[in-house]
Amino acid sequence: MAYKVLNNILLKDVSASGLASLKTDLLVLVINKETKTNASFKDLNKISKNYISKTISSHLKESGSSVLLPNIDGIHAKNLLLVKGLDKKDPIHKWLSMYQSVAHKGNHIGSKDISVMPGSVTPNGKDEFWLIEMVSKTIESNVYIFSETKNKTIKKPSVKKLTVLTSGLSGSNLNKAKKAVKKGYAVGEGVNTAKYLGDLPANHCTPRIIERKVKAMTKDFPKLKVKSFNEKEMQKMGMGSFLSVSRGSEEPARMMVIEYKGGKASEKPIALVGKGVTFDTGGVSIKPSPAMDEMKWDMCGAATVFGVMSTLARLNADVNVVGVMGCAENMCSSKATKPGDVVTSMSGQTIEILNTDAEGRLILADCLTYVEKYKPSYVIDMATLTGAVVIALGRHASGVMANDQYLADKIIESGEESGDRAWQLPLWDEHQSCTKTKYADLANIGGGREAGTIHAAAFLSKFTKNYKWAHIDIAATASYSTPVKAGTGRPVPLISELILSKKLK
Ligand code: BES
Ligand code: ZN
Ligand code: ZN
């Protein structure tokens, strides 16, 4: 099953045909200084008897602001949305939110198709193809509305088609622009996949339901090979750490492995590992009640793996990637793991579980050991792992920690490129001492109130010694908390950019 919202995104060059005859529900024009000299715009303005240029000078003051003009005589578009463009110097997040507003406006006024002319101004260091890709990605991922668990009369996204308009593109540049549209669309689809899985309530998104959805995806994308492991099979592999998390739940755990081979057979794969806790009560170390519902998004690492794999398959990307989704529900019951229990991980290291709410690292530990068999070139795990990362970095950046600086650098670079930012925290030898305990090789918590995000990574690093690895803590970025309460689909854009741009040598 595909999770794209739009049925189609097209690219059309309007230099020959002009804008006035364009049939669309909503024509969006991004206005900046250059626009006034654009022939298609001049023509349109003339037809409107200068109504457009007068509106621009009287109503569009602040960049990013917009004005909607319905039904202009002589113009075939049902509505015209004039948006004051940004400056080259404006940061990327402003560009993203500008097009996010365009997508919302399209749904708000019930447009079925929208046509967007982004104009020629691009942010510093980015070219027109970057802009086209960003428009395609941002609109696809923002026309998304979650409605599955609402009654049937609820508003669904009205926008079903997007046309990105260019002016003066031909030949190889037109082809490049078409590729950019396609890439943006596929990344947007991956974002929506992750948003949707995250937004589903936990009783609609158990490990077995995710398993069904992952298997269903192979119908759309036969190039994705899925293996799923049940608890018995995980037990056989010695995954005592992972299984300690699902012990207290009626819902059995699942580990899904998705293989995508689009590159040379000899090329080592990149491995992605995602935390998929479908609900985190904290277990016996139970969480406080306020906002506990937000723990349905504790599977966003796994959802990111799902989203990225679908993006790669959609694009037929020439890369080899293996994605592992570690899914379990963390509940408290008479069977649940208790503080002080000691379990044996797949790596052979024993773990004293001092806090059952530090469960993500227990799942990841065994998944990270499991991926060794693929002899991966790089391993990246993504997890809503610690509340501490929200305090350390705020909501705008994911936290990166790594045992390989090149990998960390490329992750941060891809975050800048895609507007899905990440920032590094240190992972030094000094941080390792905190995982010591009397009763096992490791404890699952350490460091008290200090540097909780780094100590979680230090624990993971005990399982990633044999390969180049980075950990991305997405607890702050994968979803918006109160009052918005919604999945963001992050870090699908970052990871897709990292893999598709082949930054990793
Ligand atoms: N799923 C939580 C982390 C989390 C917190 C995600 C807030 C999203 C928003 C994780 O399993 C957890 O509970 N971590 C504990 C670790 C602690 C017990 C060492 C935390 O951050 O409090
Ligand atoms: Zn927890
Ligand atoms: Zn958790």
Short mmCIF file of all heavy atoms in Angstrom, two decimals, residues 27-48:
data_model
loop_
_atom_site.label_atom_id
_atom_site.label_comp_id
_atom_site.label_asym_id
_atom_site.label_seq_id
_atom_site.Cartn_x
_atom_site.Cartn_y
_atom_site.Cartn_z
N LEU A 27 -4.08 28.87 -8.58
CA LEU A 27 -2.79 29.24 -9.18
C LEU A 27 -2.01 30.06 -8.15
O LEU A 27 -2.49 31.09 -7.67
CB LEU A 27 -3.02 30.05 -10.46
CG LEU A 27 -1.80 30.69 -11.12
CD1 LEU A 27 -0.76 29.64 -11.52
CD2 LEU A 27 -2.22 31.51 -12.36
N VAL A 28 -0.85 29.54 -7.77
CA VAL A 28 -0.06 30.20 -6.74
C VAL A 28 1.15 30.88 -7.39
O VAL A 28 1.96 30.22 -8.06
CB VAL A 28 0.44 29.17 -5.69
CG1 VAL A 28 1.23 29.86 -4.58
CG2 VAL A 28 -0.73 28.38 -5.11
N LEU A 29 1.25 32.19 -7.21
CA LEU A 29 2.40 32.92 -7.77
C LEU A 29 3.24 33.48 -6.64
O LEU A 29 2.73 34.21 -5.79
CB LEU A 29 1.93 34.08 -8.64
CG LEU A 29 1.10 33.75 -9.88
CD1 LEU A 29 0.76 35.03 -10.62
CD2 LEU A 29 1.84 32.78 -10.80
N VAL A 30 4.51 33.09 -6.62
CA VAL A 30 5.41 33.65 -5.62
C VAL A 30 6.02 34.91 -6.23
O VAL A 30 6.62 34.87 -7.31
CB VAL A 30 6.49 32.63 -5.22
CG1 VAL A 30 7.49 33.26 -4.26
CG2 VAL A 30 5.84 31.41 -4.58
N ILE A 31 5.79 36.03 -5.54
CA ILE A 31 6.14 37.32 -6.12
C ILE A 31 7.43 37.88 -5.53
O ILE A 31 7.56 38.01 -4.31
CB ILE A 31 5.02 38.36 -5.84
CG1 ILE A 31 3.63 37.80 -6.21
CG2 ILE A 31 5.30 39.69 -6.51
CD1 ILE A 31 3.39 37.58 -7.68
N ASN A 32 8.39 38.16 -6.37
CA ASN A 32 9.55 38.94 -5.93
C ASN A 32 9.92 39.92 -7.05
O ASN A 32 9.20 39.99 -8.05
CB ASN A 32 10.72 38.04 -5.52
CG ASN A 32 10.75 36.79 -6.34
OD1 ASN A 32 10.76 36.87 -7.55
ND2 ASN A 32 10.73 35.63 -5.68
N LYS A 33 11.04 40.62 -6.85
CA LYS A 33 11.39 41.68 -7.82
C LYS A 33 11.42 41.17 -9.25
O LYS A 33 10.91 41.81 -10.17
CB LYS A 33 12.74 42.28 -7.44
CG LYS A 33 12.61 43.39 -6.43
CD LYS A 33 13.97 44.01 -6.15
CE LYS A 33 13.99 44.61 -4.76
NZ LYS A 33 15.22 44.38 -4.05
N GLU A 34 12.00 39.98 -9.43
CA GLU A 34 12.15 39.42 -10.78
C GLU A 34 10.80 39.12 -11.45
O GLU A 34 10.69 39.16 -12.67
CB GLU A 34 12.97 38.11 -10.74
CG GLU A 34 14.45 38.30 -10.53
CD GLU A 34 14.83 38.46 -9.06
OE1 GLU A 34 13.92 38.70 -8.23
OE2 GLU A 34 16.02 38.36 -8.76
N THR A 35 9.80 38.82 -10.62
CA THR A 35 8.50 38.42 -11.17
C THR A 35 7.95 39.50 -12.10
O THR A 35 7.36 39.20 -13.14
CB THR A 35 7.48 38.16 -10.03
OG1 THR A 35 8.13 37.40 -9.03
CG2 THR A 35 6.26 37.43 -10.52
N LYS A 36 8.16 40.76 -11.72
CA LYS A 36 7.58 41.87 -12.49
C LYS A 36 8.08 41.92 -13.93
O LYS A 36 7.42 42.44 -14.81
CB LYS A 36 7.84 43.19 -11.76
CG LYS A 36 6.90 43.32 -10.59
CD LYS A 36 7.25 44.48 -9.70
CE LYS A 36 6.59 44.25 -8.34
NZ LYS A 36 7.27 44.90 -7.26
N THR A 37 9.28 41.34 -14.15
CA THR A 37 9.83 41.36 -15.50
C THR A 37 9.53 40.07 -16.26
O THR A 37 9.86 39.94 -17.44
CB THR A 37 11.36 41.57 -15.44
OG1 THR A 37 11.91 40.50 -14.67
CG2 THR A 37 11.74 42.89 -14.82
N ASN A 38 8.89 39.12 -15.59
CA ASN A 38 8.57 37.85 -16.23
C ASN A 38 7.42 38.03 -17.22
O ASN A 38 6.36 38.57 -16.89
CB ASN A 38 8.19 36.85 -15.11
CG ASN A 38 7.78 35.51 -15.65
OD1 ASN A 38 6.77 35.38 -16.33
ND2 ASN A 38 8.58 34.50 -15.36
N ALA A 39 7.60 37.56 -18.48
CA ALA A 39 6.62 37.80 -19.54
C ALA A 39 5.25 37.21 -19.20
O ALA A 39 4.21 37.87 -19.42
CB ALA A 39 7.14 37.20 -20.85
N SER A 40 5.23 35.99 -18.65
CA SER A 40 3.94 35.36 -18.31
C SER A 40 3.21 36.17 -17.26
O SER A 40 1.99 36.34 -17.32
CB SER A 40 4.14 33.94 -17.76
OG SER A 40 5.08 33.25 -18.47
N PHE A 41 3.96 36.68 -16.29
CA PHE A 41 3.33 37.47 -15.23
C PHE A 41 2.79 38.78 -15.80
O PHE A 41 1.66 39.20 -15.49
CB PHE A 41 4.33 37.76 -14.09
CG PHE A 41 3.77 38.67 -13.05
CD1 PHE A 41 2.92 38.20 -12.07
CD2 PHE A 41 4.05 40.05 -13.08
CE1 PHE A 41 2.36 39.05 -11.12
CE2 PHE A 41 3.50 40.91 -12.13
CZ PHE A 41 2.66 40.40 -11.15
N LYS A 42 3.60 39.43 -16.66
CA LYS A 42 3.19 40.73 -17.23
C LYS A 42 1.88 40.58 -18.00
O LYS A 42 0.97 41.40 -17.91
CB LYS A 42 4.30 41.27 -18.14
CG LYS A 42 5.44 41.89 -17.34
CD LYS A 42 6.19 42.96 -18.11
CE LYS A 42 7.12 42.37 -19.13
NZ LYS A 42 8.16 43.23 -19.63
N ASP A 43 1.82 39.47 -18.74
CA ASP A 43 0.65 39.16 -19.54
C ASP A 43 -0.59 39.00 -18.63
O ASP A 43 -1.66 39.57 -18.88
CB ASP A 43 0.97 37.85 -20.29
CG ASP A 43 -0.10 37.46 -21.24
OD1 ASP A 43 -0.65 38.37 -21.87
OD2 ASP A 43 -0.39 36.25 -21.34
N LEU A 44 -0.40 38.23 -17.55
CA LEU A 44 -1.49 37.96 -16.61
C LEU A 44 -1.97 39.26 -15.96
O LEU A 44 -3.17 39.52 -15.83
CB LEU A 44 -0.97 37.00 -15.53
CG LEU A 44 -2.00 36.23 -14.72
CD1 LEU A 44 -2.67 35.17 -15.59
CD2 LEU A 44 -1.34 35.53 -13.53
N ASN A 45 -1.01 40.08 -15.59
CA ASN A 45 -1.33 41.35 -14.93
C ASN A 45 -2.12 42.26 -15.87
O ASN A 45 -3.08 42.93 -15.46
CB ASN A 45 -0.03 42.02 -14.48
CG ASN A 45 -0.31 43.24 -13.64
OD1 ASN A 45 -1.22 43.24 -12.81
ND2 ASN A 45 0.46 44.30 -13.87
N LYS A 46 -1.74 42.24 -17.12
CA LYS A 46 -2.42 43.07 -18.12
C LYS A 46 -3.88 42.63 -18.26
O LYS A 46 -4.79 43.46 -18.26
CB LYS A 46 -1.68 42.91 -19.46
CG LYS A 46 -1.85 44.07 -20.39
CD LYS A 46 -0.87 43.97 -21.53
CE LYS A 46 -1.50 44.47 -22.81
NZ LYS A 46 -0.78 43.98 -23.98
N ILE A 47 -4.08 41.31 -18.31
CA ILE A 47 -5.45 40.78 -18.43
C ILE A 47 -6.29 41.21 -17.22
O ILE A 47 -7.48 41.52 -17.33
CB ILE A 47 -5.42 39.24 -18.57
CG1 ILE A 47 -4.79 38.85 -19.91
CG2 ILE A 47 -6.81 38.63 -18.43
CD1 ILE A 47 -4.48 37.40 -20.09
N SER A 48 -5.65 41.26 -16.06
CA SER A 48 -6.38 41.65 -14.84
C SER A 48 -6.53 43.18 -14.73
O SER A 48 -7.01 43.68 -13.71
CB SER A 48 -5.67 41.12 -13.60
OG SER A 48 -4.56 41.93 -13.26
#
